[in-house]
Amino acid sequence: MKKVLVGLSGGVDSAVAAYLLQQQGYDVTCAFMRNWDSVANEDFSGNPTLYDPVCPQEADYKDAADVAAKLGLELLRIDFIKEYWDDVFQTFIDEYKLGRTPNPDILCNRYIKFDSFMKFAKEKGFDIVATGHYARLGEEGNHHVLCKAVDYNKDQSYFLTEIRREVLEHVLFPLGEIEKPEVRRIAEELGLSIAKKKDSTGICFIGERRFREFLGNYLPMKSGDIIDVTTKQKVGTHQGVMYYTIGQRKGLDIGGIGPFFVVGKDVYKNELYVVDANHQDLLYATSCIVAGVNWLADRTLPLQCHAKFRYRQADNDVELVLNEDGTLTALFPEGIRSITPGQEAVFYDSDVMFAGGKIEKVYKNGLDLMEHVKALVHPETN
C-alpha cells in the first residue's frame, strides 16, 4: 500500500482529495503547511518587519484539524516560513520593485508545495504527495504529463507551470476528474465542517486584507503623476507605480472623466501611463518573449498551440518559436489584450500543459510596447 502525504489547507478541495485517496485504498496522512508567521514576521537577517495579527492561517489550521479528525487521519504541521520568505515573498517583492507583476501562487507551488513539501515527504518515507489542485496527470512516452482538469472552469494547471518535470512521477491530483459541485456534494455528504466554506481568493499570505495597504509595509508608497499618453497631460495621482498592472481600469482614482486604462509605467520617472476608452489599441500586443522556460513535456518547435497569459483567460491561438538563447517567442498577429511583463505565459497542446515561463518583453508589430508608450509621452528622450 503506497503512503501518500496530502497537503491539507483547511479548504474543501484538499479535504475531499484526502477522502478520495482514502477510499481508493492509499495509506493517507495529512499535513498542514504554515508558510507565514502570524505573530511577528522577520526578514531573516534579524530585523522585525510587521506585526500580523489577522493572518488566516490559524483558522485554516483548525479547519484542517477538524477535517483530519472527521476522516480519522493523522495531521502533521510543518513550518516553511523561512523557505517561503526566501523563495516566494522576497522574489515577489523584488519583481514589484522592477515594476513587474509576479504571481506568488506559481512561486509557492514551485518552491514550497512541490519542492520543500516533497522533500519533507520523502524524508518521512512517503511515496507520493497529493494536493487539492484541479489538474490531471496524463502519459506520454511512459512519463507523466500535466493536463487540464475535467472541470475547465476550475482548472488550475496554469498555477503549476513552474513545478519541476520529475515531480510529476510522484504526485496525485484526486480532483482532476471531477467537477466542483461534486466536491461540495461529497463534503456535505460527509458532514465536513468546511463543506460550505468559501473558496480562498487572492494571495495566501495576505488573506482578506487590502493588497495595497499590505504591500505598503514592504514597499513604501511613493505617489506620482498619472499621464494620459494621447494628450501627454497629467490626469491624476497614483499611489506608487508598482501597485498597478497593464490593463487595469479600477482603482485609478481619476475623477470626472474616463474610463482610463493602464498601458505602461516608468519606475524610474515614477509615472503611470493611461489611455481613455477611444485609444485602447495600445493595450494590444502581437508577440511576446518568454524567458526562464520550464518544460514539462517534449514538443518540437515551431508549433501552433494555445496559450494563457493570465489565469482564467480563454485559450489564445499562438505560434511558438524557439530562439537561439533558449527563450520563446509567442506570435499572435491578430492581437491579445493586456499582456504584462512579469506574469506567466503558459502553453498547451490540446489539454497537455507542456511549458511555461515569464513574460519578458511585449511587442506590437515589432515595437517594444512598453518602450513605445514611454516614447509617446517623452519623445524628446527617446
Side-chain angles (χ1 to χ4, degrees):
M1 183 184 299
K2 288 191 174 181
K3 297 179 65 178
V4 180
L5 186 62
V6 180
L8 204 61
S9 67
V12 66
D13 293 331
S14 60
V16 172
Y19 168 75
L20 292 174
L21 290 170
Q22 192 180 35
Q23 294 303 298
Q24 291 165 16
Y26 290 99
D27 180 2
V28 178
T29 299
C30 301
F32 180 86
M33 286 171 266
R34 182 169 173 262
N35 300 328
W36 190 257
D37 193 336
S38 59
V39 179
N41 298 310
E42 295 184 355
D43 66 4
F44 295 99
S45 58
N47 300 315
T49 56
L50 175 67
Y51 178 67
D52 187 13
V54 293
C55 181
Q57 280 193 121
E58 295 310 312
D60 288 339
Y61 175 70
K62 181 181 182 303
D63 288 338
D66 290 345
V67 167
K70 183 75 173 180
L71 298 178
L73 298 173
E74 180 183 5
L75 177 66
L76 308 177
R77 180 176 170 122
I78 317 164
D79 281 354
F80 291 129
I81 295 169
K82 186 179 187 306
E83 293 85 347
Y84 193 94
W85 182 279
D86 290 345
D87 296 325
V88 179
F89 189 68
Q90 196 59 59
T91 300
F92 176 80
I93 293 297
D94 290 344
E95 285 286 285
Y96 259 93
K97 287 178 180 177
L98 296 174
R100 292 154 65 94
T101 307
N103 191 312
D105 295 320
I106 289 175
L107 293 171
C108 183
N109 285 327
R110 165 64 179 88
Y111 291 108
I112 306 301
K113 294 177 182 175
F114 296 94
D115 189 358
S116 297
F117 185 50
M118 292 202 74
K119 289 174 183 175
F120 173 87
K122 184 177 180 180
E123 290 170 0
K124 298 299 181 182
F126 292 95
D127 304 299
I128 299 170
V129 157
T131 68
H133 285 97
Y134 286 84
R136 287 185 299 124
L137 293 174
E139 285 198 10
E140 288 183 357
N142 297 319
H143 293 288
H144 285 146
V145 291
L146 189 67
C147 303
K148 292 180 181 178
V150 166
D151 189 340
Y152 281 179
N153 187 53
K154 293 297 294 183
D155 173 57
Q156 294 174 308
S157 59
Y158 177 90
F159 293 114
L160 301 172
T161 186
E162 290 284 353
I163 68 176
R164 291 175 293 114
R165 186 171 181 168
E166 57 267 29
V167 161
L168 298 177
E169 306 303 323
H170 307 284
V171 298
L172 287 172
F173 301 112
L175 305 187
E177 302 287 346
I178 63 177
E179 297 187 348
K180 182 71 179 204
E182 176 68 3
V183 171
R184 290 283 185 192
R185 186 197 65 78
I186 292 171
E188 290 185 17
E189 191 176 85
L190 292 171
L192 299 181
S193 59
I194 44 77
K196 295 183 179 180
K197 184 177 180 179
K198 187 174 103 174
D199 289 345
S200 61
T201 58
I203 300 169
C204 48
F205 55 76
I206 293 177
E208 298 301 322
R209 287 162 293 174
R210 293 182 179 178
F211 175 74
R212 190 178 296 174
E213 282 76 1
F214 174 84
L215 274 191
N217 291 283
Y218 301 91
L219 293 171
M221 294 184 183
K222 183 181 179 183
S223 61
D225 293 344
I226 301 176
I227 299 175
D228 182 344
V229 174
T230 56
T231 66
K232 302 180 180 59
Q233 298 299 308
K234 176 181 175 179
V235 292
T237 302
H238 66 72
Q239 300 304 310
V241 291
M242 71 279 292
Y243 299 120
Y244 301 85
T245 191
I246 303 301
Q248 181 176 337
R249 184 184 72 174
K250 296 181 179 179
L252 299 181
D253 299 323
I254 301 174
I257 51 177
F260 283 94
F261 303 84
V262 175
V263 292
K265 49 190 171 180
D266 189 322
V267 294
Y268 301 105
K269 288 185 171 70
N270 196 33
E271 293 176 341
L272 188 70
Y273 305 128
V274 300
V275 293
D276 62 25
N278 295 319
H279 297 88
Q280 295 182 58
D281 58 299
L282 284 173
L283 286 170
Y284 287 86
T286 56
S287 67
C288 68
I289 300 294
V290 180
V293 180
N294 185 46
W295 291 92
L296 286 165
D298 295 328
R299 289 296 183 274
T300 301
L301 303 185
L303 177 69
Q304 299 290 332
C305 62
H306 296 127
K308 288 183 186 295
F309 299 101
R310 66 179 55 81
Y311 181 53
R312 289 197 178 280
Q313 184 182 49
D315 285 358
N316 297 279
D317 293 331
V318 303
E319 180 182 5
L320 201 59
V321 178
L322 180 63
N323 302 317
E324 290 185 359
D325 61 359
T327 63
L328 301 177
T329 296
L331 303 165
F332 31 92
E334 293 185 1
I336 298 174
R337 183 184 176 96
S338 303
I339 295 182
T340 305
Q343 291 188 343
E344 204 83 12
V346 179
F347 302 105
Y348 295 87
D349 183 3
S350 187
D351 278 354
V352 177
M353 193 267 280
F354 64 88
K358 293 284 189 307
I359 301 166
E360 283 292 322
K361 296 283 187 178
V362 180
Y363 295 91
K364 181 167 187 171
N365 300 326
L367 289 173
D368 183 321
L369 199 48
M370 299 302 107
E371 294 303 318
H372 177 56
V373 167
K374 294 177 187 177
L376 290 174
V377 179
H378 298 290
E380 70 284 355
T381 62
N382 290 275

